[in-house]
């Protein structure tokens, strides 16, 4: 097992900011510390839905309800191909099934609370309310050659990262597979209906980088991966290469995912190359150190053949020093060449945080050091800077301000979007 990394030597007297320089956001006392939590505040279970089930299980459910098993295939195609859960739009389904569809097969799971537009209509951020009042966010982003959806896997988050708006909420509960997948169905319909600027498009990419730690809701997330990747009527039939699962560093879950046979991309939210800083910046580092995490990421690459993404939010005077860029390059290179890609991310600070984005000069120097050491590196393109773009910011703003619509400089998406089935960093995609 890789031992803890030594504290890097600081080669200059440049001021350094530490995560402990202020209490975590929302703390009630000056000496408050981030508290990891894997225990949900709520124990309720979302209503069962066909998206929770395999196709064989759907057939059994429909048959047990007194209908022919082939109706399960029809319902699945409506959901995964036509992106609808409204029986009134299913012309091949008898009226006698409509009530069962609404109550048993496709109950209402996700309802719009707030929608915000940004980036000239190329980005739409939604706050959704679930059956028990819990709220989650998703962000739909259109680019020149792809359209990406960032989805949530938990309501809140128990990882307690002090710079993350969602981490400040704590963990409310895990989402069911169907609650995760219904975010995707809504986005599929929005793309088909042309609700993003530029007209109709096709949803091509999914990133599990919304609210929550995906690996802490492992079984529901893996089932959701099958619904994304498996061909219709099992699922949406998306390319596994275009699906990314992020983690702050749950090492056993990384190894478990590597053995699932699902060639999705793994993204590691690293944010610091040394344990001295990461212990305070990412509390889960107290359980699995940087070396252990990078070893697991390397094993994932070996098992799947999929290059691992390293997410690194550049925080001014905290983790953006040249010596840390060199340490990051050294740690990655000593585990091999060509297995990893680094995404430095311009920070979008949570309101009130002492942390802010690195200067452009510092950012460029950090990237140059990585590239000069042979590390594939791409600055991430930020989205949603003119709205509550960071994970958890929209939910927090609505909760604290009682806001029913989006701000005047970020026009609300029209309400008919819902009717027609529509990481404290910015929501991002590679430039």
């Amino acid at each position: 097992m890789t031992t803890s990394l030594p504290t890097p030597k600081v080669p200059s007297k440049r001021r350094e900011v530490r995560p402990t320089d202020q209490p975590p956001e929302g703390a009630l006392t000056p000496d408050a510390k981030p508290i990891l939590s894997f225990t949900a505040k709520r124990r309720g279970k979302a209503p069962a839905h066909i998206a929770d089930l395999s196709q064989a299980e759907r057939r059994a459910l429909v048959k047990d309800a007194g209908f022919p098993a082939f109706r399960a295939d029809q319902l699945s195609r409506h959901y995964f191909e036509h992106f609808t859960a409204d029986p009134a739009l299913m012309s091949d389904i008898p009226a006698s099934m409509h009530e069962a569809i609404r109550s048993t097969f496709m109950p209402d799971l996700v309802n719009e609370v707030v929608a915000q537009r940004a980036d000239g209509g190329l980005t739409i951020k939604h706050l959704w309310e679930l059956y028990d009042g819990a709220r989650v966010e998703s962000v739909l982003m259109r680019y020149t050659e792809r359209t990406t959806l960032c989805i949530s896997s938990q309501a809140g988050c128990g990882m307690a990262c002090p710079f993350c708006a969602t981490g400040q909420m704590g963990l409310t509960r895990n989402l069911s597979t169907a609650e995760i997948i219904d975010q995707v169905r809504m986005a599929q319909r929005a793309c088909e209906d042309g609700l993003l600027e530029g007209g109709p498009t096709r949803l091509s990419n999914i990133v599990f980088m919304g609210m929550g730690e995906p690996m802490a809701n492992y079984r529901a997330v893996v089932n959701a991966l099958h619904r994304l990747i498996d061909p219709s009527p099992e699922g949406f039939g998306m390319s596994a290469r275009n699906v990314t699962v992020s983690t702050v560093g749950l090492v056993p879950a990384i190894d478990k995912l590597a053995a699932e046979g699902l060639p999705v991309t793994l993204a590691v939210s690293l944010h610091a190359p040394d344990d001295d800083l990461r212990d305070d910046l990412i509390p889960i580092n107290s359980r699995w150190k940087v070396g252990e995490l990078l070893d697991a990421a390397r094993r994932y690459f070996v098992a799947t053949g999929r290059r691992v993404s390293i997410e690194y939010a550049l925080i001014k005077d905290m983790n953006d020093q040249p010596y840390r860029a060199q340490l990051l390059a050294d740690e990655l290179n000593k585990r091999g060449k060509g297995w990893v890609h680094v995404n430095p991310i311009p920070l979008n600070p949570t309101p009130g945080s002492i942390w802010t984005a690195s200067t452009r000069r510092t950012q460029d120097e950090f990237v140059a050091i990585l590239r000069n050491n042979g590390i594939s590196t791409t600055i991430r393109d930020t989205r949603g800077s003119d709205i509550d773009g960071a994970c958890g910011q929209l939910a927090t703003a609505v909760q604290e301000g009682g806001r029913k619509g989006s701000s005047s400089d970020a026009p609300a998406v029209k309400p008919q979007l819902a009717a027609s089935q529509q990481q404290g960093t910015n929501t991002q995609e590679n430039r």
Side-chain angles (χ1 to χ4, degrees), residues 75-90:
L75 293 178
S76 297
R77 292 189 187 281
H78 281 294
Y79 188 90
F80 290 106
E81 291 183 13
H82 304 295
F83 317 129
T84 185
D86 183 356
L89 301 177
M90 303 176 186

Side-chain angles (χ1 to χ4, degrees), residues 359-373:
T359 65
R360 182 58 182 267
R361 179 177 178 179
T362 298
Q363 172 184 293
D364 290 347
E365 183 179 13
F366 196 96
V367 170
I369 291 171
L370 293 176
R371 289 175 176 167
N372 289 341
N373 281 269

Side-chain angles (χ1 to χ4, degrees), residues 328-342:
L328 176 59
D330 292 344
E331 287 300 321
L332 298 178
N333 279 333
K334 77 181 185 182
R335 289 169 172 83
K337 302 287 186 179
W339 69 277
V340 71
H341 182 94
V342 176

Side-chain angles (χ1 to χ4, degrees), residues 1 4 35-39 158-159 249-252 275 278-279 282-290 292-293:
M1 178 179 293
S4 297
I35 300 175
L36 282 168
S37 175
F38 290 89
T39 304
M159 296 298 101
L250 278 66
V251 167
D275 293 323
R278 199 171 192 268
D279 281 348
I282 310 290
I284 199 67
N285 206 68
S286 63
R287 299 198 184 186
W288 297 288
K289 298 300 185 181
V290 171
E292 295 174 271
L293 174 55

